[in-house]
Amino acid sequence: MACFEIKDLNFSYPLRGKKALDHVDLVVEQGEFVVLCGKSGCGKSTLMRHLKPVLTPHGERDGEIYFHGVNLKDVSFRDQTSQIGYVLQNPDNQIVTDKVWHELSFGLESLGVDNETIRLRVAEMASYFGIQTWFRREVSGLSGGQKQLLNLASIMAMQPLVLLLDEPTSQLDPIAASDFLETIRKINREVGTTVIITEHRLEDVFPYADRVVVMDKGRIIANDTPRVVGRALKDENNEMFYALPSPMRIFSGVENDLECPLTVREGRAWISRLLDGADIRERRIYDEKVFDTSDPVVEMKEVWFRYEKESADIVKGLSVKIPKNKIFCIVGGNGTGKSTTMKLLTGILRPYRGKIKIGGKDIRKFKKNELFEHNLAMLPQNPQALFVKKTVREDLLEMLSGFDLSKEEKAAKVADVAKLVNIEDLLEQHPYDISGGEQQRAALAKVLLVEPKILLLDEPTKGLDNYFKFRLASILKELNKKGVSVIMVSHDIEFCASYGDSCSMFFDGDIVITETPNKFFSGNSFYTTSANRLSRHVFLNAVNNEDVIALCKRNLATK
Amino acid sequence: MSYDTFSTCHPLLNFCFFVLVIFFTMCFIHPVCLLISLTASFSYSVYLNGRKSLRFNLMIALPMMILAALMNPVFNHAGATILTYLPGGNPLTLEAIIYGFATAIMFVSVIFWFSCYNRIMTSDKFIYLFGRIIPSVSLVFSMVLRFVPKFKNQASVISNGQKCIGRDVTNGDRKQRLHSGFRIISILTTWALENGIETADSMRSRGYGLKGRTSFSIFHFDTRDKILACIMGVMVILAFVPIAAGAVHIVYYPMVVMNETTPFAVFNYISFGLLCYMPLLLDLMEDVRWRVLKSKI
């Protein structure tokens, strides 16, 4: 018997003409690992929510869903609570109580399970998920990855038959994200729980999937094994193709009739076979970017920082020159001091030793708000921290309230910036009603209205799908041309490699190396892009997918 | 912050202990009992909170006590032993001075006990004890404790976010600052309501609202707790019987009349002393036990 059987499901939100779900037919077998993907707003979350009746949105709906042969409407609240587990996107918001152990037992308490059984189940879960060391801690002290793991464990404690996960890793850093997905796979393999997951970072999850379902405008457009779906997306020239793992994209870029690789390991084997027998003359890609610091816009000189006199140093003797009108990327692990460095640049924190110069002027010599007037601005990690008004337009206008401008001039400025970041259609909506990527662009528009010369970005690609990332990159390039220098801190290696002008590795409170992305990533063997890991045994400095494809093509031509 | 054995006992014992010692201290303003209570609470709070509490106890609590003691005779003129006359013409009596000191000691001891209470009775223990009576209240309490640090954190995120686009609360004249402050509160409220929806979803998807909700706890009432409970019970009875029998009593006005130090009264002092010093004795026993264990290795 199938776990879920969806028969001709249609759904539309009230007061919206467009169908959110359009004739959806889908069968998910027991024990399957299904990845549901699609652009933001394609209806994947809506579909997921239909599989858990308490979370199903209100609206016009027809069609039936069967859960283990029973119509989902007839499944009681108690049964759906224990049998259908649902993990949401934001790790923080899902946690209800203040202690880890209490959170773990929350679902079981609701089900009215007695103390002895809860004790056993909680112990079991804590051991399985490796939570026992922080079992008695307060939840507020946990990292994002730990919080999401706790959410998962607290649902698994109810022993569900199926686990629904709605973009569970979008708010996590890449390492925590792959750990989390690894845990999901482990549950699927070892416990046999059916998994349905929506994701936009397909790199990690694709190789695990038994089946991939692609949605577009409320319809299912592909539903097959990962390899077949990859080929279909390529053939249809679908935007979702750019969200596929690097090995698949590289594979599709080169004419060949070998089997499609899913992982880096398979990709390496594929490229070896592809070029087998060819005389590899070209091993190097031309790197046109140069890292030049002769005219720095920001300069830090032996900067030291710690929060309290007794605490440990966080930034340790950091010296860096940041070039003008470029995209300067800082990468590195969690807790190495990246975000603290950003705060130092904005003057929120002050170093206890060393100098920071912004545009050639010592940061201490800036008067109160001078630093932020047409000079420096930062886009926070969570764009929601900026929105004040009921509509995006009002919000943008509010930003100009301090300036001495006429109404028309203000409106013109807002129109300009809206065009630049591509949010003209969203101006009348509430800032909280638009998607994550749109919110970010709206926030960016807001920041740009202060006309900064230096733009600081903290994790700008977090939670964005590849399509939005591409848009963001082109906006940043546009800003570079207009004389804005961009400094960004990111975990997103692929983004920095493709669009950055230089990359710096932050480690232990200091920048270890700064280079052009090509030199930077081709010099690393672990901390580098998948395209580079996939091709480094053949090519010397291919960092992006396009590099690998170009080199493959050139060498194949001589075969 | 040293390791404390008493805090590892069952929350019910922790709570009863504090209720009892505070009750005894407040109800029987008897000099011997007060001195026992004062020294016990003082040493226990210093043991628990270390140097910081020592500073507070000596610099703030003691002067407060002396002040309180001096205030009484100024306003209270009852008592038979007149020492002298105050400038206003009112008599200054020995009884008022003694009573002032007694109440001041009582007052300060209770403060010390409460500082210990705060360290020992953590929120989860409190929730556990009272959650059994009203399960929904315990959940609300726990949610509030979760929400407060989250809210605080978000407030600082928002304030920094605003600062980085030149909207600083610490900048500008009073009107501007007030405006920025309101803006932050407004953003925070929207944020809280919006994100609260997801929390509600998470609660519903884990069956909140089903009938027959239980309340899980990680506390056990083990043998040690049973023994301690018995000891505490015996101490309380032994301390109470002499009082009930009239062997321990004191009257301050019009003349200070205290019971004689009969063996029966000493009985009361010892039992009450043991009760007050119980947590410290437990810690001492634990220390000795570890010393012995170590020396055996």
Side-chain angles (χ1 to χ4, degrees):
Chain A
M1 202 185 293
C3 178
F4 274 116
E5 200 176 347
I6 303 169
K7 285 185 178 162
D8 195 31
L9 184 68
N10 289 285
F11 178 79
S12 50
Y13 284 99
L15 305 175
R16 252 180 259 177
K18 230 172 34 180
K19 273 187 181 173
L21 294 175
D22 193 357
H23 296 286
V24 172
D25 279 292
L26 184 67
V27 178
V28 178
E29 297 296 335
Q30 281 180 46
E32 256 193 314
F33 192 116
V34 176
V35 174
L36 191 60
C37 59
K39 279 202 308 182
S40 349
C42 70
K44 54 183 193 292
S45 290
T46 312
L47 180 59
M48 288 288 266
R49 282 178 173 262
H50 273 86
L51 300 180
K52 175 99 181 167
V54 284
L55 299 183
T56 305
H58 293 284
E60 224 172 286
R61 159 192 176 169
D62 60 77
E64 300 299 335
I65 304 172
Y66 294 92
F67 176 63
H68 286 272
V70 184
N71 193 326
L72 200 53
K73 279 180 203 152
D74 305 327
V75 178
S76 70
F77 185 26
R78 191 170 290 275
D79 285 343
Q80 60 156 304
T81 296
S82 63
Q83 293 173 1
I84 307 174
Y86 200 104
V87 178
L88 298 136
Q89 200 177 70
N90 190 315
D92 235 336
N93 292 343
Q94 289 174 73
I95 296 176
V96 178
T97 61
D98 62 330
K99 289 278 199 292
V100 170
W101 62 265
H102 199 181
E103 190 64 24
L104 269 177
S105 61
F106 184 90
L108 296 168
E109 285 182 340
S110 300
L111 292 170
V113 178
D114 64 274
N115 238 313
E116 280 314 300
T117 320
I118 296 184
R119 197 184 299 279
L120 172 66
R121 296 257 200 105
V122 162
E124 198 184 17
M125 281 306 118
S127 314
Y128 188 80
F129 289 97
I131 290 176
Q132 65 275 47
T133 47
W134 36 281
F135 182 66
R136 281 168 189 261
R137 294 238 317 255
E138 305 260 333
V139 287
S140 53
L142 304 179
S143 72
Q146 286 176 321
K147 281 180 185 160
Q148 196 64 311
L149 199 65
L150 173 61
N151 288 323
L152 177 66
S154 117
I155 282 158
M156 289 311 293
M158 294 184 283
Q159 302 176 338
L161 299 172
V162 55
L163 195 54
L164 307 171
L165 303 114
D166 191 5
E167 303 213 351
T169 66
S170 68
Q171 302 297 312
L172 307 183
D173 67 74
I175 295 169
S178 26
D179 283 352
F180 184 81
L181 292 172
E182 187 62 50
T183 311
I184 300 290
R185 174 159 110 134
K186 193 174 148 197
I187 290 168
N188 179 254
R189 289 247 168 137
E190 294 179 1
V191 189
T193 312
T194 312
V195 172
I196 306 176
I197 182 169
T198 67
E199 262 293 320
H200 60 257
R201 278 165 25 102
L202 298 174
E203 200 93 37
D204 288 321
V205 81
F206 235 61
Y208 301 161
D210 293 315
R211 209 139 53 87
V212 175
V213 176
V214 186
M215 289 185 69
D216 191 23
K217 291 179 189 130
R219 286 169 170 275
I220 290 180
I221 56 166
N223 175 8
D224 215 314
T225 61
R227 286 177 223 273
V228 178
V229 165
R231 191 168 282 272
L233 289 177
K234 158 79 181 155
D235 293 342
E236 282 176 39
N237 211 358
N238 191 292
E239 267 167 10
M240 269 312 288
F241 173 74
Y242 296 101
L244 294 180
S246 289
M248 296 183 80
R249 272 189 287 163
I250 294 171
F251 169 82
S252 307
V254 184
E255 287 274 326
N256 70 96
D257 42 12
L258 299 170
E259 199 190 0
C260 178
L262 289 182
T263 60
V264 168
R265 190 181 69 169
E266 288 173 23
R268 282 172 79 94
W270 167 78
I271 206 167
S272 300
R273 280 187 64 197
L274 180 77
L275 297 175
D276 190 24
D279 176 19
I280 307 172
R281 287 205 196 123
E282 298 208 43
R283 287 178 185 274
R284 199 169 261 289
I285 200 108
Y286 174 64
D287 179 19
E288 79 265 9
K289 286 172 182 164
V290 252
F291 180 61
D292 172 28
T293 55
S294 53
D295 183 20
V297 65
V298 172
E299 199 180 342
M300 296 178 97
K301 215 170 174 186
E302 290 179 26
V303 170
W304 290 76
F305 176 81
R306 59 180 168 227
Y307 278 97
E308 275 158 49
K309 200 183 161 203
E310 291 84 15
S311 63
D313 283 317
I314 297 181
V315 175
K316 302 171 185 168
L318 171 65
S319 296
V320 66
K321 285 178 180 174
I322 296 172
K324 217 176 223 171
N325 304 347
K326 299 277 184 205
I327 301 177
F328 185 89
C329 306
I330 302 174
V331 297
N334 276 334
T336 49
K338 288 179 303 178
S339 296
T340 310
T341 307
M342 290 298 243
K343 283 187 185 158
L344 287 170
L345 287 177
T346 56
I348 291 178
L349 301 176
R350 304 230 147 175
Y352 70 91
R353 203 189 303 155
K355 252 188 188 165
I356 301 175
K357 281 181 177 174
I358 308 280
K361 190 177 170 186
D362 193 318
I363 196 164
R364 279 169 294 189
K365 297 210 172 103
F366 282 94
K367 296 220 178 62
K368 271 196 161 177
N369 241 354
E370 207 186 334
L371 184 60
F372 299 108
E373 271 163 16
H374 308 308
N375 196 1
L376 185 139
M378 177 156 131
L379 181 66
Q381 215 177 90
N382 183 354
Q384 291 182 347
L386 290 183
F387 300 128
V388 205
K389 295 284 179 182
K390 281 199 193 78
T391 68
V392 176
R393 184 190 300 280
E394 279 178 47
D395 217 294
L396 294 177
L397 283 172
E398 189 266 354
M399 204 57 212
L400 293 170
S401 60
F403 298 130
D404 193 19
L405 292 169
S406 73
K407 247 189 178 169
E408 288 75 31
E409 281 174 312
K410 282 183 185 173
K413 276 198 172 222
V414 167
D416 278 349
V417 81
K419 197 175 168 216
L420 178 69
V421 301
N422 231 319
I423 50 164
E424 292 128 303
D425 310 339
L426 310 169
L427 286 176
E428 303 311 326
Q429 294 202 35
H430 192 284
Y432 276 89
D433 285 345
I434 56 184
S435 78
E438 291 165 344
Q439 276 183 352
Q440 202 199 29
R441 277 183 290 151
L444 184 61
K446 202 169 170 176
V447 171
L448 289 178
L449 281 175
V450 223
E451 296 175 354
K453 293 196 194 76
I454 304 162
L455 180 63
L456 305 179
L457 305 170
D458 191 0
E459 298 284 355
T461 59
K462 195 176 189 178
L464 295 192
D465 60 26
N466 278 25
Y467 172 69
F468 276 123
K469 279 186 201 171
F470 181 72
R471 294 271 282 272
L472 178 69
S474 53
I475 292 167
L476 294 183
K477 290 277 177 209
E478 193 64 30
L479 287 173
N480 275 167
K481 280 185 207 149
K482 291 188 172 185
V484 179
S485 313
V486 177
I487 306 171
M488 63 180 265
V489 160
S490 183
H491 280 297
D492 193 337
I493 295 177
E494 317 278 333
F495 185 85
C496 296
S498 304
Y499 308 110
D501 288 301
S502 67
C503 283
S504 300
M505 176 86 177
F506 214 98
F507 178 73
D508 195 27
D510 192 7
I511 286 179
V512 183
I513 183 181
T514 306
E515 264 301 351
T516 64
N518 189 286
K519 291 202 187 68
F520 180 88
F521 288 111
S522 58
N524 294 349
S525 44
F526 293 95
Y527 204 81
T528 181
T529 60
S530 1
N532 183 251
R533 274 179 277 139
L534 182 148
S535 68
R536 60 185 304 115
H537 62 303
V538 193
F539 305 134
L540 292 170
N541 68 344
V543 167
N544 298 325
N545 297 336
E546 293 72 32
D547 296 348
V548 181
I549 294 171
L551 282 176
C552 279
K553 278 184 175 164
R554 270 190 255 162
N555 284 307
L556 279 176
T558 62
K559 191 172 177 177
Chain B
M1 293 249 262
S2 36
Y3 177 81
D4 177 56
T5 319
F6 185 55
S7 60
T8 63
C9 293
H10 196 267
L12 190 64
L13 285 182
N14 294 156
F15 189 73
C16 288
F17 171 80
F18 285 110
V19 169
L20 284 171
V21 289
I22 291 171
F23 173 78
F24 267 99
T25 315
M26 284 173 74
C27 292
F28 310 105
I29 311 173
H30 188 278
V32 180
C33 291
L34 281 177
L35 277 178
I36 293 171
S37 181
L38 180 73
T39 50
S41 57
F42 180 85
S43 12
Y44 194 39
S45 73
V46 172
Y47 181 84
L48 284 178
N49 299 317
R51 222 198 260 154
K52 218 171 76 190
S53 127
L54 189 66
R55 198 183 307 150
F56 170 83
N57 289 359
L58 294 178
M59 306 287 284
I60 298 172
L62 280 184
M64 222 165 74
M65 182 173 103
I66 292 166
L67 191 74
L70 295 178
M71 287 312 272
N72 188 52
V74 175
F75 296 106
N76 191 337
H77 312 294
T81 325
I82 297 166
L83 296 175
T84 175
Y85 285 91
L86 293 168
N90 281 320
L92 178 72
T93 64
L94 179 67
E95 286 79 14
I97 292 175
I98 294 174
Y99 187 72
F101 265 101
T103 45
I105 291 175
M106 181 268 283
F107 190 60
V108 170
S109 315
V110 171
I111 291 178
F112 288 168
W113 281 126
F114 267 109
S115 81
C116 302
Y117 173 91
N118 275 339
R119 264 299 304 279
I120 306 260
M121 283 301 288
T122 48
S123 60
D124 50 334
K125 290 186 182 175
F126 187 82
I127 291 169
Y128 164 72
L129 284 180
F130 293 94
R132 299 194 147 188
I133 309 166
I134 332 164
S136 58
V137 169
S138 85
L139 180 67
V140 169
F141 202 75
S142 175
M143 285 173 71
V144 168
L145 286 171
R146 155 95 186 108
F147 192 66
V148 169
K150 201 173 142 190
F151 211 70
K152 258 186 175 165
N153 183 37
Q154 186 65 17
S156 87
V157 167
I158 290 171
S159 144
N160 281 342
Q162 293 290 319
K163 210 182 266 181
C164 291
I165 51 171
R167 299 291 167 92
D168 192 354
V169 212
T170 55
N171 273 352
D173 55 35
R174 188 173 291 176
K175 198 182 148 197
Q176 275 173 326
R177 273 158 56 184
L178 201 68
H179 194 73
S180 311
F182 273 125
R183 192 191 351 251
I184 289 176
I185 291 170
S186 149
I187 300 176
L188 201 57
T189 317
T190 320
W191 171 86
L193 291 174
E194 193 65 31
N195 290 283
I197 295 174
E198 206 165 337
T199 310
D201 277 349
S202 156
M203 286 172 74
R204 268 190 306 160
S205 77
R206 281 185 287 163
Y208 185 70
L210 277 171
K211 268 189 187 155
R213 189 180 161 79
T214 49
S215 182
F216 173 62
S217 77
I218 48 173
F219 302 108
H220 294 272
F221 202 82
D222 58 18
T223 322
R224 182 185 59 167
D225 294 321
K226 283 176 200 156
I227 295 171
L228 270 179
C230 292
I231 294 175
M232 261 169 73
V234 171
M235 292 302 154
V236 170
I237 294 165
L238 291 184
F240 197 75
V241 169
I243 295 172
V248 176
H249 60 84
I250 185 160
V251 184
Y252 287 94
Y253 300 114
M255 294 263 284
V256 179
V257 182
M258 206 176 96
N259 60 290
E260 277 169 39
T261 320
T262 56
F264 206 35
V266 174
F267 207 56
N268 163 280
Y269 303 155
I270 292 175
S271 340
F272 183 65
L274 280 175
L275 181 70
C276 286
Y277 276 98
M278 191 182 75
L280 277 170
L281 287 172
L282 275 178
D283 285 326
L284 192 72
M285 271 160 63
E286 195 87 344
D287 283 347
V288 170
R289 185 177 302 164
W290 280 101
R291 207 57 58 82
V292 172
L293 280 177
K294 262 189 199 158
S295 65
K296 274 187 188 158
I297 296 167

